[in-house]
Amino acid sequence: MGTLIIVWAAMDWYPLEGHWFPERVVENGSIDHLFYCILWLTGIVFIATGILLFWFLWKYDAAKNDQPVVFSHGSHYMEVMWSVVPAIILLFLAIYQMDAWAGARMRRPTLANGQPMPPIARVTGRQFEWRIQYPGADKKFDTPDDLYVTNLLHIPRDEEIVLEIESDDVLHSFFLPNFRVKQDVVPGMKQFIWFKPIKDGAYDIVCAELCGWGHYKMKGQITVQSRNDFDAWLQKTYDEQELSEFSLAEAE
Amino acid sequence: MSSITADGHAAHAHSSGEFGVGEFITTYVFSRDHKVIGIQFLFSTLLWFLVGGLLAIGIRWQLAWPWSDMPVIGPMLFSAEGGQISPEFYTMLFTMHATVMTFLVIIPILAGAFGNYLIPLMIGADDMAFPTMNMLSYWVMWPAFFLFGGSFFVAGNGASSGWTSYPPLASIPESAPGSGLAQTMWLLGLTCVGISSMLGSVNYLTTIIQMRAPGMTMMRLPLTIWGMFITALLQAFALPVLTAAGLMQLLDRTAGTGFFIPEALSVNNSPMAPGGGQPLLWQHLFWFYSHPAVYIMILPAMGMVSDILCCFARKPLFGYKPMVYAMNGIAGLGFIVWGHHMFVSGMNPGLGMTFMVATMMIALPSAVKTFNWLGTIYGGKIQFTSPMLFSLAFVSMFVVGGLSGIFMAATPVDIFIHDTYYIVAHFHYVLFGGTAMAVFGGIYFWFPKMFGRTMNEFWGKTHFLLTFIFLNGTFFTMHILGAVGFPRRLADPYHYETFRHLQPINQFMTICAILMVASQIPFILNFFYSMFFGPKAGRNPWHANGLEWQAPSPPGHGNFDFQPIVYRGPYEYGSPESDKDYYPQTQPPNERGQADVSPTLTDK
Ligand code: HEM
Ligand SMILES: [Cu+2]
Ligand SMILES: [Cu+2]
C-alpha cells in the first residue's frame, strides 16, 4: 500500500518538472488559460478522491478494523450533492469555453470595412509536403503572378493572419504547436484558420493526421518576421521564381 | 422450499463415463454450453492480448530508439532493413496494435468471455437463450482471426491506415503501402467481428430479459449483468452502422464507388474517379459506432468492479439504483457525443459546441459512479485480495482517465491536444488502467468458479503491483508528452525541432512498457499452474452473494443442481438479517440458524 501512495503522489508532481507547453507566440492565450483552469479543477478532484480512497483503504482494512460494517444502501442526500455540484462545474466549464471556441473557429477576422479578411496564403497538404501559394500583387489566387513555395511559410508579425488550407490527396492536419493551431485538412474542402503572431522566429509545421508512410516527415517551417522583412522575403523569393522559370523556359 | 432443494440435487446433469472423440469435439470444440464458449473466448482473447502487447513493444522501441536495430527480434523480422523498423512497418504496428486490442481483445473479452460465462450463471439460467447461435458467435471470430492474422503476410504487411481507417487514405489502394489487400482483409475481419458481436448481443438481450430465475427482478440484477445488458443494447443499435460503413468502404475499394472519395481527387498525381463523396461521412459513421464502443469497453468492467468491491468490502453497494441509472445515462448520452472525436476534423464548428456540451454532461454519470464506489468501501471491512486490488486500481485509474477526458471535451483545449499523446494517455488510462485491470480482477475473482481451483494470492499480488507501477510509468508520462504537443503516429517525432528533447522521456516509457509486458509472466504461469494444481475451491470461496456462487465449481452442463429462487439483491453483505456477514440471493429469509441446510452451503 505504501508503494501505491508513493506512485500516486509522484504521478501528479512529476509533469511540472520541465516538459510542458512549447513557447506560445500568438496573442491569444485562451487555450492555455482554459487548460490551466481545468488542470486546477481536475487536480483538486484528483487529489481529493485519491486521499479519500487511500484513507478509506487504511481505515477500513479488515485486518485492523474491528467495528461492524456500516450496513447502508446509500444516501439520497449524498447522491444529489455529488450529482448537482459536478453538474454545475461542468456546465460552467462548457459555457466558459464557448467564447474561446468561437474565437478560434467561428469569428474570422474582418477588414476595416467589415468584409472577411482574405487569406495571406493558401496551404495545400500533399503526401508528404506542404505547398504554399501566395496570391501575389493582385491579391488573387491562381493568377500568373502567384508565388509558390514548398514547406516554407513566412508571415508578418503583429498582424491578423488568415490562411486558407486544403488537401490534394488524403487527410492531413495542419498543426502549429507554438501557435496553438490545429486543423485537419480535408480533400474537397476549403478551410480557413487565423491567429496573430507576436514573436519573431522559425517554428515547426507538423502534420498531425496520419497521411501514409511518410507522415512523420511531412514537416514544414513557419517563419514570423517584421512586415519589412516579410515583404523583402516575398519579393526576393518571387524574383528567384521568375528567374528559374525563365531559365527553365530557355533550356527547352 | 426444501422440496426444490431435493429436486435440484437429483437434476445434477453432468454426464460421466467414457469420452469419445465426437463427444470431445461437441463438449470442448463446437460446444453449445455458454461456459465452454466463454472460456474459449477467454483463451483466444488472452492470446491476442499477447500479440497486441508485442506489437506495442515494437511501437515503443521505435519511439525510444528510432531507426536503430532491434535486438534479437529485428534481424528475424526484417533482415532486409538490417533489423530496423521502417516507416511503413511502423504505421502497420500501431494500426494493428490498436485493432487487435480493441476488436480482438477488449470487446470480445468482456462481452464474449465474461458475458458468456457469467450471464446465465448470475441470473440463474441453465444456458443462453440460443445456444447454437452462441456457438456461432465464437466461431465467426475465427475468420476474423485469420483475416487479421493473415494481413501481416500479404503485401504491405498488415493494414496501415490507423485503426480508424480514415478514407481517402484507407479507401485508395495507391495511397499507402498497407492500403492494398491488407486493408481489404482488415475490413472483412471487422465485419466478422461485427457479426460475432451482433449474434452475442441478441443472445444476451433475450437471455437477460427472458430467462431470469424466479424472483430475479431487473432491479436485483448484479451490476455486471446490467453492464452486459446495456453493452448488448449499444451493440445492437450502433453496430449495424459500422458494418454498413465498412461495406461502403469495401465497395469504394473494390467496386469503384465513391462514398468517401471527394470530387477531383488526385493521389500520386493520378486522378481518382469517381468522386462525389465526402471523407467526413466515414468519420461520422465510424464514430457513431466507435464512440458507444468505448462504453462497450467500459460498462461491463464497471459492473464487474462493483461486484468485486462489494464482496471484499463486505458492504452493500452504495446507491444501487443511481448506479443503474448512471449506466443507462452513459449509454443514452453515448449516442450523441460521437462528434467529440471530430472537433478539428473540419466539421461545422457550430456542431462542435453541441457535441461539447453533451460530452461535458456525459462526464457526470461517470463522476456519480466514482463517488458511489468510494461510498461503497467507506465503512467496510476491506480484504486486500488480488481481485480487490485490481478493482481498486480500476477505480483510481478510471479517475485519471475520466478527468483527462474533461480536457479533451473542452473544444478549445482539444485543438491543441487532439492527436497528441495526451489522447493516447487518456484512452490507455481508461482501457488499460481501467478495463484491463477489471478484466484481471475478474479473472482472479471468477477463476475458482471456472476451473474449480483458486489462483495463488502471492503471485497475484506480485502481478498486480508490477503491472500497476509500470502502467503508470508508461502511461502517465504520456500526458506530459501531450502537453508539449507530441503527435501520435509519427515514426520519427524527433524529425521536428519541437519534440527533439523528448527522446529520453520516451526511452523511460519504453523501458516501463517492456517491464509491464514482462510483469504478465507471473500471471500466465500462475494461471496455468493453478488451473491444474491450485488448491480446490468450494462453491463459494469468497463468501459472495451472487447466484453463480451457489452452483458447483465448476458448474456442470445446465449450471445449477437445484432451482435457484431469488429473494433479494446481490449486495446484502453485513445485513443484520443474516447470521453471516453475507446473505446469498437464494437463501430464504427468516430462516436464521437454519441456513446451513440450504444447498448453497453444503460443501463449504
Ligand atoms: C488494454 C490494452 C490496450 C488497449 C485497448 C490499447 C489500445 C490502443 C489504441 C486504441 C491505440 C490507438 C492507436 C492509434 O493511434 O491508432 C493504442 C496506441 C498505442 N498503444 Fe495501446 N492499447 C493497450 C495496451 C497497450 C500496451 C500494453 C502498450 C505498451 C506496452 C501500449 C502502447 C501503445 C502505444 C505506444 C500506442 C501509440 C501508437 C501511436 O503512436 O499512435 N498499448 N493502443
Ligand atoms: Cu500529412
Ligand atoms: Cu500526416
Side-chain angles (χ1 to χ4, degrees):
Chain A
M1 278 300 117
T3 325
L4 297 193
I5 299 173
I6 293 164
V7 171
W8 186 282
M11 274 161 39
D12 202 46
W13 299 112
Y14 185 71
L16 303 180
E17 281 184 11
H19 297 303
W20 210 235
F21 289 144
E23 183 189 14
R24 173 166 64 85
V25 300
V26 283
E27 193 180 56
N28 180 355
S30 59
I31 289 182
D32 300 34
H33 169 69
L34 255 171
F35 185 93
Y36 282 112
C37 277
I38 301 176
L39 188 63
W40 272 106
L41 277 172
T42 53
I44 291 168
V45 177
F46 174 61
I47 292 174
T49 48
I51 290 175
L52 268 183
L53 181 65
F54 279 102
W55 182 47
F56 289 172
L57 293 188
W58 178 78
K59 179 133 184 263
Y60 301 113
D61 182 347
K64 296 190 308 180
N65 178 15
D66 46 15
Q67 304 287 311
V69 300
V70 180
F71 185 71
S72 139
H73 289 84
S75 143
H76 189 64
Y77 171 76
M78 297 286 277
E79 300 278 0
V80 172
M81 281 301 286
W82 63 47
S83 313
V84 171
V85 174
I88 291 173
I89 296 176
L90 288 168
L91 215 59
F92 162 76
L93 267 180
I95 294 167
Y96 185 62
Q97 72 201 2
M98 283 199 174
D99 192 56
W101 174 249
R105 281 290 189 275
M106 294 163 89
R107 284 196 300 260
R108 178 167 162 193
T110 50
L111 296 172
N113 63 8
Q115 291 289 307
M117 185 178 282
I120 191 170
R122 172 193 283 165
V123 180
T124 307
R126 217 184 115 90
Q127 287 178 325
F128 299 100
E129 65 193 12
W130 299 101
R131 297 199 165 177
I132 290 145
Q133 183 181 1
Y134 288 91
D138 64 358
K139 306 259 186 265
K140 289 203 185 75
F141 285 115
D142 304 320
T143 50
D145 70 342
D146 284 5
L147 169 66
Y148 296 90
V149 224
T150 35
N151 289 335
L152 292 178
L153 176 63
H154 284 241
I155 50 168
R157 175 171 37 90
D158 294 326
E159 291 178 27
E160 288 282 0
I161 304 293
V162 176
L163 293 172
E164 181 182 326
I165 56 173
E166 282 164 24
S167 166
D168 254 4
D169 40 37
V170 299
L171 297 171
H172 303 274
S173 187
F174 187 71
F175 179 27
L176 307 174
N178 303 81
F179 297 67
R180 314 291 189 259
V181 164
K182 183 182 289 144
Q183 177 63 57
D184 281 9
V185 192
V186 186
M189 268 173 85
K190 181 191 280 193
Q191 301 188 74
F192 299 94
I193 51 170
W194 50 86
F195 50 87
K196 186 171 177 187
I198 50 171
K199 188 164 180 298
D200 284 353
Y203 310 95
D204 278 330
I205 302 177
V206 182
C207 178
E209 180 67 67
L210 178 65
C211 55
W213 69 272
H215 170 51
Y216 74 97
K217 59 176 188 180
M218 190 161 157
K219 166 176 151 176
Q221 195 183 54
I222 178 167
T223 305
V224 182
Q225 51 198 179
S226 67
R227 184 79 210 184
N228 284 342
D229 291 353
F230 172 71
D231 287 337
W233 174 83
L234 216 55
Q235 193 58 46
K236 183 180 109 239
T237 320
Y238 186 72
D239 292 345
E240 279 167 12
Q241 170 178 300
E242 289 295 283
L243 215 69
S244 64
E245 269 174 14
F246 186 63
S247 51
L248 207 79
E250 230 173 29
E252 276 166 1
Chain B
M1 290 304 135
S2 53
S3 69
I4 289 167
T5 318
D7 284 344
H9 277 295
H12 189 124
H14 199 61
S15 64
S16 51
E18 282 99 84
F19 229 51
V21 177
E23 205 174 341
F24 177 83
I25 289 179
T26 48
T27 313
Y28 293 112
V29 186
F30 294 105
S31 170
R32 298 158 77 236
D33 181 350
H34 71 99
K35 297 182 293 296
V36 178
I37 299 172
I39 289 170
Q40 285 173 330
F41 264 113
L42 185 65
F43 280 118
S44 316
T45 47
L46 285 177
L47 202 68
W48 280 100
F49 200 14
L50 203 67
V51 175
L54 295 177
L55 291 170
I57 297 299
I59 304 175
R60 290 278 8 136
W61 179 267
Q62 173 72 2
L63 289 177
W65 295 281
W67 321 126
S68 67
D69 295 358
M70 242 185 149
V72 195
I73 332 173
M76 273 159 46
L77 275 183
F78 8 83
S79 43
E81 293 92 352
Q84 296 171 8
I85 292 176
S86 64
E88 295 87 335
F89 196 78
Y90 182 79
T91 48
M92 182 287 288
L93 279 178
F94 64 72
T95 301
M96 291 310 288
H97 163 71
T99 305
V100 165
M101 287 301 191
T102 27
F103 295 118
L104 296 186
V105 179
I106 296 296
I107 295 180
I109 209 172
L110 287 175
F114 285 101
N116 256 315
Y117 194 88
L118 294 176
I119 289 173
L121 277 169
M122 289 179 105
I123 65 171
D126 56 358
D127 205 330
M128 286 287 180
F130 311 113
T132 309
M133 208 163 100
N134 207 17
M135 177 185 81
L136 278 178
S137 84
Y138 176 69
W139 286 104
V140 291
M141 286 301 279
W142 276 90
F145 294 158
F146 282 119
L147 284 162
F148 287 131
S151 74
F152 289 112
F153 303 101
V154 301
N157 290 329
S160 54
S161 316
W163 78 281
T164 50
S165 192
Y166 280 179
L169 185 67
S171 56
I172 295 176
E174 290 84 351
S175 66
S179 203
L181 183 57
Q183 180 68 21
T184 307
M185 288 168 75
W186 187 92
L187 285 165
L188 289 170
L190 193 66
T191 313
C192 292
V193 175
I195 294 171
S196 162
S197 302
M198 206 68 214
L199 292 173
S201 80
V202 172
N203 228 333
Y204 301 165
L205 289 174
T206 319
T207 307
I208 296 172
I209 293 171
Q210 290 291 334
M211 299 183 56
R212 282 168 287 136
M216 180 62 99
T217 59
M218 286 306 265
M219 281 298 166
R220 282 180 183 169
L221 288 178
L223 283 190
T224 302
I225 301 302
W226 265 113
M228 300 288 174
F229 183 70
I230 294 169
T231 289
L233 272 177
L234 288 173
Q235 299 267 33
F237 287 110
L239 233 153
V241 177
L242 180 72
T243 309
L247 288 178
M248 284 154 83
Q249 192 175 105
L250 208 59
L251 289 174
D252 272 8
R253 299 178 51 81
T254 54
T257 57
F259 291 110
F260 306 125
I261 300 171
E263 213 62 64
L265 189 75
S266 93
V267 174
N268 271 331
N269 291 326
S270 38
M272 292 294 138
Q278 241 302 344
L280 287 189
L281 175 61
W282 167 266
Q283 298 187 23
H284 282 292
L285 296 176
F286 179 85
W287 288 114
F288 185 81
Y289 168 75
S290 294
H291 189 78
V294 309
Y295 302 111
I296 290 168
M297 292 188 263
I298 195 87
L299 284 171
M302 288 173 157
M304 285 156 52
V305 161
S306 308
D307 284 9
I308 297 173
L309 283 179
C310 289
C311 176
F312 295 110
R314 312 309 292 168
K315 259 202 68 191
L317 186 76
F318 194 98
Y320 176 87
K321 279 193 178 161
M323 288 294 245
V324 173
Y325 298 147
M327 277 186 170
N328 283 293
I330 290 177
L333 284 169
F335 273 108
I336 57 166
V337 297
W338 79 88
H340 66 213
H341 296 272
M342 298 173 63
F343 286 149
V344 302
S345 70
M347 174 182 76
N348 181 335
L351 269 179
M353 286 205 185
T354 327
F355 280 122
M356 179 266 289
V357 176
T359 305
M360 284 284 177
M361 287 303 110
I362 209 170
L364 198 62
S366 313
V368 169
K369 295 195 70 86
T370 306
F371 293 130
N372 276 310
W373 285 320
L374 288 176
T376 299
I377 59 172
Y378 167 82
K381 277 182 185 298
I382 299 169
Q383 304 168 350
F384 294 99
T385 57
S386 313
M388 184 62 167
L389 289 173
F390 277 106
S391 303
L392 292 167
F394 173 96
V395 175
S396 58
M397 299 293 95
F398 181 73
V399 169
V400 179
L403 291 176
S404 62
I406 297 180
F407 291 81
M408 294 156 14
T411 39
V413 180
D414 188 60
I415 293 177
F416 183 67
I417 60 180
H418 181 81
D419 265 330
T420 66
Y421 260 76
Y422 207 88
I423 309 294
V424 183
H426 163 77
F427 67 64
H428 279 94
Y429 266 95
V430 178
L431 292 180
F432 193 77
T435 307
M437 291 293 117
V439 163
F440 284 135
I443 290 177
Y444 284 96
F445 189 60
W446 281 292
F447 190 90
K449 186 54 57 183
M450 293 183 178
F451 303 106
R453 294 171 186 271
T454 4
M455 285 175 82
N456 181 291
E457 270 294 308
F458 173 78
W459 288 110
K461 286 183 178 139
T462 311
H463 171 218
F464 166 75
L465 210 61
L466 294 176
T467 308
F468 187 76
I469 291 171
F470 295 123
L471 157 85
N472 283 297
T474 309
F475 297 124
F476 198 81
T477 14
M478 288 187 181
H479 291 110
I480 305 164
L481 296 186
V484 192
F486 194 80
R488 61 203 272 216
R489 300 173 167 181
L490 291 189
D492 182 5
Y494 316 112
H495 197 63
Y496 294 100
E497 211 58 58
T498 321
F499 310 120
R500 203 155 288 163
H501 64 290
L502 296 175
Q503 193 169 355
I505 195 170
N506 268 300
Q507 288 164 349
F508 168 78
M509 288 157 62
T510 298
I511 293 167
C512 285
I514 293 172
L515 291 174
M516 179 162 75
V517 172
S519 312
Q520 308 313 308
I521 294 172
F523 169 69
I524 298 172
L525 296 181
N526 190 359
F527 189 98
F528 285 107
Y529 181 85
S530 308
M531 220 171 115
F532 298 109
F533 308 111
K536 278 222 157 47
R539 287 182 184 227
N540 193 357
W542 311 114
H543 294 197
N545 289 341
L547 290 186
E548 78 274 30
W549 299 107
Q550 315 305 328
S553 303
H557 203 84
N559 293 345
F560 293 91
D561 45 10
F562 63 100
Q563 167 62 49
I565 294 184
V566 176
Y567 296 98
R568 65 188 65 76
Y571 301 117
E572 303 300 303
Y573 294 97
S575 163
E577 280 174 37
S578 170
D579 54 347
K580 306 175 292 287
D581 76 336
Y582 62 112
Y583 204 4
Q585 286 186 277
T586 48
Q587 183 180 325
N590 308 321
E591 289 193 16
R592 289 182 87 149
Q594 302 173 24
D596 282 331
V597 283
S598 118
T600 64
L601 299 161
T602 42
D603 58 356
K604 190 58 212 168

